[in-house]
Amino acid sequence: MNVLLPLQVTNGRLAYASKSQMAIDAFIELLLSTPCGGCGADPEFGFIFNNLKFEIFNEKEGVIYDSLPQDNSNSKLYDKKVSGNSKNLNTFAVDLKKAIEQYEKRLTEVSVSMTYLKNQKMIQIVVEGILMETNEPYKYTTSINLWN
């Protein structure tokens, strides 16, 4: 099912994408732009970056720190790196891969890589996989601007 996002109604029916890649691209963008807990029907839906807008991104180390630590030390909020791929367990790419595998059943063999581009102040995200219907390779590239 390739329903267009945002939802569109044509002749009293939901509009469909002519190619599943368009619908999957839109769904991944929705997943990335939804903060965890932002969807009342499924509080686990979304990606963690939108929940971290008020935390400190350490550009040198590529990690995120708590802006209000309980003790006076500058403690890491997450023991994960921003740059890396879904094969490395300590990256945010693993979380995104798990979310895509949970919610986007039209893709198989999902892999995610995230790269922090310091000079552009953004995180580039590449999602790859195989389209279930056609067995063709799938690739989606997007970016998230940093908040500090």
Side-chain angles (χ1 to χ4, degrees):
M1 183 155 142
N2 301 317
V3 175
L4 286 174
L5 292 176
L7 294 176
Q8 299 174 23
V9 178
T10 307
N11 297 328
R13 296 179 181 255
L14 287 176
Y16 289 88
S18 57
K19 295 185 178 184
S20 61
Q21 177 145 358
M22 276 179 49
I24 295 170
D25 290 353
F27 180 79
I28 291 174
E29 198 63 40
L30 177 66
L31 183 66
L32 284 168
S33 61
T34 304
C36 289
C39 176
D42 185 354
E44 292 183 18
F45 183 84
F47 189 57
I48 193 68
F49 274 175
N50 284 316
N51 298 79
L52 302 175
K53 296 272 183 189
F54 298 102
E55 308 305 336
I56 300 166
F57 179 74
N58 183 315
E59 294 183 51
K60 188 174 182 180
E61 295 179 28
V63 295
I64 298 168
Y65 286 93
D66 191 345
S67 60
L68 295 170
Q70 298 304 319
D71 53 8
N72 289 334
S73 66
N74 200 9
S75 60
K76 286 183 191 177
L77 188 62
Y78 289 95
D79 193 25
K80 297 179 183 178
K81 295 267 186 190
V82 172
S83 290
N85 60 46
S86 54
K87 293 179 184 175
N88 302 338
L89 293 179
N90 64 337
T91 64
F92 284 101
V94 172
D95 294 344
L96 182 56
K97 177 186 176 190
K98 286 178 184 176
I100 292 170
E101 288 174 337
Q102 179 179 355
Y103 294 105
E104 185 49 78
K105 301 298 183 185
R106 296 171 288 187
L107 275 182
T108 61
E109 299 179 35
V110 176
S111 69
V112 176
S113 66
M114 299 175 75
T115 307
Y116 170 55
L117 305 173
K118 190 174 185 175
N119 59 345
Q120 297 175 10
K121 298 261 190 206
M122 69 172 50
I123 299 164
Q124 183 178 28
I125 300 171
V126 178
V127 177
E128 295 181 288
I130 303 292
L131 295 170
M132 189 83 112
E133 289 178 346
T134 61
N135 216 23
E136 294 175 2
Y138 170 85
K139 184 174 184 178
Y140 177 68
T141 303
T142 191
S143 60
I144 297 174
N145 292 325
L146 286 181
W147 50 87
N148 60 320

